Amino acid sequence: QVQLVESGGGVVQPGRSLRLSCAASGFTFSSYAMHWVRQAPGKGLEWVAVISYDGSNKYYADSVKGRFTISRDNSKNTLYLQMNSLSAEDTAVFSCARDPAYDASGRMDVWGKGTTVTVSS
Amino acid sequence: DIQMTQSPSSLSASVGDRVTITCRASQRISSYLNWYQQKPGKAPKLLIYAASSLQSGVPSRFSGSGSGADFTLTISSLQPEDFATYYCQQSYSTPFTFGPGTKVDIK
């Protein structure tokens, strides 16, 4: 079945880096744009970034621009989020989500369960 | 950036009630509006896309309407499994912003 499984979360000190992964299965990963979305504890959903099917187009939320990098490896059916210069405000559950279009349509029709990132000293 | 607002922020309703949630964009976004349902500890689920198109597998008691800047999600007859938080999201332009959510709980 169609599935997205995130990994790589954990506890990290402020200023440090972390890389998240999202393993896709059950569909042709290379045909879909992919998103990262986060949710801080007790808060709403915040869109983070999107990458087109081939990695040629990437867009970011202002809150992460210049610090986070979205990428993908279609040979491994895996999406990544490299997060640098982390701060407490980045503490959240990070989820990957599939976009039903090659380029970003903006809607997200399949979601992973998320991985928790806690930034704390 | 396009800002999204929702009202109410929370509501209490009974099984069988008709429930309406509104969403407003800070600028016109045509029909580029999606609705998601999220239950505690679970991933969000796409309910409605393009303002009024029902996502495959979603019960027909859910419907969406609107265009431009004002949108509505309606649940025609609330079921026990519908108690959740609902988010609107604009897909007109990046950043793809979400509304703050509307929590629907049991009266």
Side-chain angles (χ1 to χ4, degrees):
Chain A
Q1 73 279 23
V2 175
Q3 193 171 12
L4 297 170
V5 179
E6 302 89 342
S7 62
V11 179
V12 61
Q13 292 179 328
R16 302 299 292 266
S17 300
L18 203 61
R19 188 177 84 156
L20 306 183
S21 300
C22 167
S25 59
F27 65 99
T28 305
F29 178 71
S30 60
S31 295
Y32 295 86
M34 295 293 297
H35 299 261
W36 284 102
V37 176
R38 68 182 179 181
Q39 188 167 32
K43 302 297 185 181
L45 301 170
E46 180 186 14
W47 176 80
V48 172
V50 65
I51 186 169
S52 60
Y53 73 106
D54 61 353
S56 61
N57 293 314
K58 305 174 185 180
Y59 302 95
Y60 298 91
D62 291 345
S63 59
V64 307
K65 200 173 296 183
R67 298 188 301 123
F68 290 12
T69 301
I70 189 171
S71 63
R72 64 192 299 159
D73 186 337
N74 287 342
S75 68
K76 296 182 178 179
N77 292 337
T78 303
L79 175 72
Y80 301 101
L81 186 68
Q82 177 67 42
M83 305 186 295
N84 299 331
S85 303
L86 286 162
S87 70
E89 289 67 41
D90 297 313
T91 294
V93 174
F94 284 74
S95 299
C96 60
R98 187 182 78 173
D99 189 307
Y102 282 101
D103 278 323
S105 73
R107 74 177 186 260
M108 300 161 224
D109 67 346
V110 178
W111 293 67
K113 294 181 179 180
T115 187
T116 300
V117 173
T118 302
V119 184
S120 174
S121 55
Chain B
D1 298 357
I2 299 172
Q3 310 303 318
M4 307 300 294
T5 58
Q6 289 181 233
S7 61
S9 57
S10 65
L11 65 90
S12 295
S14 301
V15 173
D17 283 354
R18 182 180 182 89
V19 169
T20 299
I21 299 169
T22 62
C23 175
R24 175 166 288 178
S26 61
Q27 67 182 69
R28 295 179 68 84
I29 58 171
S30 185
S31 295
Y32 292 93
L33 191 284
N34 311 303
W35 289 98
Y36 300 85
Q37 175 195 66
Q38 187 181 32
K39 298 179 181 179
K42 301 294 187 181
K45 175 185 177 182
L46 178 63
L47 299 176
I48 301 286
Y49 64 95
S52 60
S53 295
L54 192 67
Q55 175 69 3
S56 175
V58 174
S60 59
R61 63 181 180 273
F62 291 93
S63 64
S65 64
S67 67
D70 294 303
F71 303 88
T72 299
L73 173 70
T74 300
I75 309 172
S76 60
S77 177
L78 197 67
Q79 299 302 300
E81 60 268 30
D82 300 337
F83 293 98
T85 299
Y86 294 84
Y87 295 92
C88 62
Q89 178 235 350
Q90 65 83 15
S91 51
Y92 181 80
S93 66
T94 58
F96 296 129
T97 40
F98 288 89
T102 295
K103 184 176 181 181
V104 177
D105 61 21
I106 302 171
K107 181 183 286 185

